[in-house]
Amino acid sequence: MKLGRVEYLGETCEVAVVPEGYLIEAPSRSAGTMIGKDEAKLLPPVAPGKILGVGFNFREHIMEMVSRAGRVPNPSDEVVPHALLFLKPPSCVVGPLDPIMYPLDATRVEYEGELAVVIGRRIRRATSEEAAKAVWGWTCANDVTERDQQGEDKQWWRAKGYDTFGAIGPFIETDVPGPETWLRTRVNGELRQEAQLSDMIRDPFEIIAIASQAMTLERGDLIMLGTPSGVGELHAGDEVEIEIDGVGCLSNPVQMEER
């Protein structure tokens, strides 16, 4: 089942996605109303209280970034790395077809196509098994990053946190994507990233469990689960798509920030 959020008659409504369009759910005053997809503005499928990202969860992406840094990969790079988690602010979230703004002070903005998991209920110090039972659903995400600033700053608050640097959507898919599911990123129709979820070093439920050891995860919180190799630059005028089999296709244009 796919779930979403729309703006309809001045109200933000949660909807079930059906072949005919959107079925508005309670507690909206329009609950039970069926509307066409052209009758409402599609919003980000969730308004997360907090967003966590996961760095280096695909081995080939680790090798990619090692090579970018001018290092030669060595056997120690094959060891499973310590889980690297970071925060993105909720203010960075945009939805499908919303523009990703290229900041005026940016020099290298890059896409990172990712699967994201949405938490369905409060959990703390969960096991992987408990984490699996606390999932609301899954969505496509673009962990947009200013790469030069990421290298300059000790913290990634700026590189990962610009407004519009957290594109998500178009919907929440409640069915769990299998390990053979493909994730693909395209820029202007050109394939840039392609990997299966089985390539993840840590599976989503392990990552949720790790995060829950340090902080309480609440309903609606979002975790971006890492990007495969093939990350690259975006420029004003580009169109970037994140497609995950069975989950959906998230498309966003890139625009230059106005002075």
Side-chain angles (χ1 to χ4, degrees):
M1 173 182 283
K2 285 184 167 59
L3 306 173
R5 292 167 68 245
V6 302
E7 183 180 324
Y8 178 68
L9 299 179
E11 182 184 19
T12 297
C13 307
E14 295 186 358
V15 299
V17 183
V18 295
E20 299 82 4
Y22 303 132
L23 177 62
I24 299 177
E25 299 184 329
S28 166
R29 63 176 180 265
S30 301
T33 302
M34 180 73 69
I35 59 174
K37 293 183 179 179
D38 59 349
E39 295 182 66
K41 175 179 169 51
L42 193 58
L43 302 174
V46 67
K50 56 182 171 289
I51 305 167
L52 283 164
V54 181
F56 304 139
N57 199 32
F58 285 80
R59 199 172 303 282
E60 288 189 7
H61 178 54
I62 297 175
M63 298 298 102
E64 175 180 51
M65 300 311 284
V66 166
S67 297
R68 274 199 190 187
R71 289 174 46 208
V72 177
N74 59 61
S76 66
D77 294 320
E78 292 300 317
V79 176
V80 175
H82 182 74
L84 176 61
L85 275 69
F86 56 89
L87 287 164
K88 289 173 75 84
S91 55
C92 78
V93 169
V94 290
L97 302 180
D98 290 337
I100 294 168
M101 304 306 296
Y102 198 110
L104 290 171
D105 50 350
T107 53
R108 187 182 179 94
V109 174
E110 297 195 349
Y111 56 82
E112 293 190 8
E114 309 197 8
L115 173 69
V117 60
V118 184
I119 303 301
R121 61 177 175 84
R122 177 181 290 187
I123 53 171
R124 176 79 164 96
R125 292 202 180 277
T127 64
S128 293
E129 293 74 19
E130 290 167 339
K133 297 176 182 178
V135 169
W136 184 357
W138 312 83
T139 194
C140 305
N142 192 345
D143 176 23
V144 184
T145 304
E146 210 297 349
R147 197 67 70 191
D148 289 338
Q149 293 174 7
Q150 186 183 26
E152 293 168 1
D153 298 344
K154 291 184 179 180
Q155 298 285 338
W156 295 355
W157 69 274
R158 184 168 61 139
K160 300 279 192 178
Y162 278 101
D163 290 353
T164 76
F165 272 24
I168 60 173
F171 307 113
I172 295 173
E173 171 57 58
T174 58
D175 291 339
V176 182
E180 303 310 309
T181 297
W182 286 93
L183 182 159
R184 298 179 177 91
T185 301
R186 297 181 179 88
V187 178
N188 302 325
E190 179 185 346
L191 184 65
R192 299 289 184 85
Q193 291 182 289
E194 185 175 46
Q196 289 179 294
L197 301 186
S198 57
D199 295 340
M200 286 183 174
I201 294 172
R202 290 182 170 86
D203 71 45
F205 308 120
E206 181 182 359
I207 290 169
I208 296 169
I210 290 170
S212 78
Q213 304 310 304
M215 63 183 68
T216 299
L217 299 177
E218 306 278 0
R219 179 176 173 82
D221 287 347
L222 185 94
I223 303 178
M224 298 183 180
L225 295 165
T227 196
S229 62
V231 298
E233 285 192 75
L234 291 172
H235 302 91
D238 286 345
E239 186 88 16
V240 56
E241 294 180 339
I242 315 299
E243 183 177 16
I244 303 175
D245 292 344
V247 176
C249 183
L250 170 67
S251 180
N252 299 92
V254 182
Q255 297 179 11
M256 180 63 68
E257 181 184 8
E258 296 182 0
R259 292 188 179 276

